[in-house]
């Protein structure tokens, strides 16, 4: 009864209604009889438009989320297949089993199953397996057996961010690994590392190798990477930022240059 139409308030509307409906008694001041709720065509049309707008918006973001997940899982499988190693595992991290109740979680399971089933023969021939694992089981494996974690897909949620931060802490936090951001196409668009390189330039050097390789300078990238690996693994010259390392930045760079 709180409707305010273009030609008057609730009282006007009710009185007009009583003229075409004899069973309805006009409401006057002080009346405690129940009012009749009336909605005009414009109000109904607006409500229907709002419902359709919400439905379309939800459908849009649902489709966007599905396409994003499909692209991410596909790229992870493509990278694993291109690695040419004996066995690669693509691990898709999900929330604890008891919390798998949201539409996003169900969508994630569907996408992983769809990609695995559609490419079963290709993945099998390339010795690539795709598995979903709760975040609680991924943490200890990353710390104790990092070599068993070939490729990790982290959803855009709190548990995914936790795994991402752990990756940075284990590999990149000390500046020993390159990092990159991927576009939707799967191509690297940003080349970086976890630290600023003042104490440990390893990550920056390896990130530079990634960039050179993507630019077509594969030979130069391989030369630098081999020099870095020789300095670390054979010469045992470690940056001071790394546990057990004693070489400052200049000393480490000089050693790498000698191995080029």
């Amino acid at each position: 009864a709180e409707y305010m139409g273009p030609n008057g308030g609730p009282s006007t509307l009710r009185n007009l209604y009583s003229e075409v409906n004899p069973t309805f008694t006009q409401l006057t001041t002080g009346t405690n009889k129940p009012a009749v709720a009336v909605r005009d065509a414009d109000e109904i049309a607006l409500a229907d438009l709002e419902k359709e707008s919400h439905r379309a918006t939800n459908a849009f973001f649902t489709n966007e989320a599905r396409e994003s997940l499909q692209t991410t899982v596909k790229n992870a499988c493509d990278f694993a297949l291109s690695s040419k190693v004996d066995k690669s595992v693509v691990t898709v991290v999900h929330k604890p089993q008891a919390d798998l109740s949201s539409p996003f979680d169900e969508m994630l399971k569907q996408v992983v199953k769809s990609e695995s089933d559609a490419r079963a023969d290709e993945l099998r021939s390339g010795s690539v397996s795709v598995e979903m694992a709760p975040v609680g089981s991924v943490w200890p494996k990353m710390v104790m057996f990092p070599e068993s974690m070939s490729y990790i897909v982290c959803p855009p949620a709190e548990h995914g961010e936790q795994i991402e931060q752990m990756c940075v802490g284990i590999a990149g936090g000390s500046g020993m690994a390159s990092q990159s951001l991927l576009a939707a196409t799967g191509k690297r668009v940003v080349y970086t590392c976890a630290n600023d390189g003042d104490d440990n330039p390893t990550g920056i050097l390896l990130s530079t190798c990634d960039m050179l390789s993507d630019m077509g300078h594969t030979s130069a990238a391989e030369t630098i990477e081999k020099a870095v690996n020789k300095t670390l693994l054979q010469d045992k010259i470690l940056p001071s930022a790394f546990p057990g390392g004693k070489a400052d930045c200049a000393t480490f760079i000089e050693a790498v240059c000698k191995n080029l």
Side-chain angles (χ1 to χ4, degrees):
E2 293 301 319
Y3 175 80
M4 290 296 291
N7 298 318
S11 179
T12 302
L13 181 61
R14 295 169 192 154
N15 290 339
L16 288 174
Y17 182 79
S18 66
E19 293 178 5
V20 296
N21 186 351
T23 61
F24 179 77
T25 304
Q26 284 192 353
L27 297 180
T28 57
T29 304
T31 301
N32 59 1
K33 293 182 180 180
V36 175
V38 180
R39 299 173 68 195
D40 63 12
D42 290 340
E43 186 180 3
I44 294 174
L46 179 60
D48 291 341
L49 181 62
E50 290 178 347
K51 289 181 181 179
E52 176 60 23
S53 176
H54 286 306
R55 186 202 65 78
T57 301
N58 289 335
F60 171 80
F61 283 109
T62 298
N63 291 335
E64 286 290 303
R66 182 178 295 277
E67 290 180 6
S68 177
L69 287 175
Q70 289 172 336
T71 300
T72 302
V73 175
K74 177 182 180 301
N75 287 340
C77 292
D78 289 343
F79 285 130
L81 288 168
S82 64
S83 65
K84 305 298 183 181
V85 298
D86 292 339
K87 183 178 180 181
S88 294
V89 180
V90 176
T91 304
V92 181
V93 183
H94 64 74
K95 292 189 294 187
Q97 197 68 36
D99 297 334
L100 289 177
S101 57
S102 72
F104 180 86
D105 297 318
E106 184 62 32
M107 182 189 301
L108 179 62
K109 290 190 293 184
Q110 292 174 359
V111 167
V112 172
K113 185 178 186 304
S114 175
E115 183 72 15
S116 301
D117 292 347
R119 306 178 66 177
D121 293 339
E122 181 185 10
L123 294 172
R124 191 180 304 109
S125 63
S127 299
V128 175
S129 60
V130 181
E131 62 180 29
M132 293 191 67
V135 62
S137 69
V138 174
W139 289 342
K141 288 181 66 176
M142 288 180 61
V143 175
M144 300 175 65
F145 310 104
E147 68 279 0
S148 67
M149 310 295 290
S150 308
Y151 297 89
I152 304 176
V153 177
C154 298
E158 181 179 358
H159 58 286
E161 293 177 358
Q162 292 171 352
I163 294 297
E164 181 183 4
Q165 292 170 3
M166 184 171 289
C167 286
V168 173
I170 293 175
S174 58
M176 297 301 292
S178 65
Q179 295 180 332
S180 58
L181 299 179
L182 304 182
T185 58
K187 293 183 178 180
R188 288 180 288 213
V189 292
V190 176
Y191 304 85
T192 182
C193 71
N195 69 349
D196 56 15
D198 289 344
D199 298 320
N200 183 5
T202 307
I204 291 179
L205 289 172
L206 295 179
S207 187
T208 302
C209 292
D210 291 340
M211 182 176 66
L212 288 172
S213 179
D214 289 347
M215 293 173 64
H217 304 293
T218 307
S219 178
E222 291 177 350
T223 299
I224 297 174
E225 186 172 358
K226 288 179 180 179
V228 171
N229 289 336
K230 185 176 185 299
T231 303
L232 294 171
L233 302 178
Q234 296 183 22
D235 299 342
K236 306 296 183 180
I237 299 177
L238 302 177
S240 57
F242 193 74
K246 298 180 180 179
D248 58 22
C249 183
T251 302
F252 181 78
I253 290 294
E254 182 179 354
V256 172
C257 290
K258 290 180 179 179
N259 289 324
L260 287 174

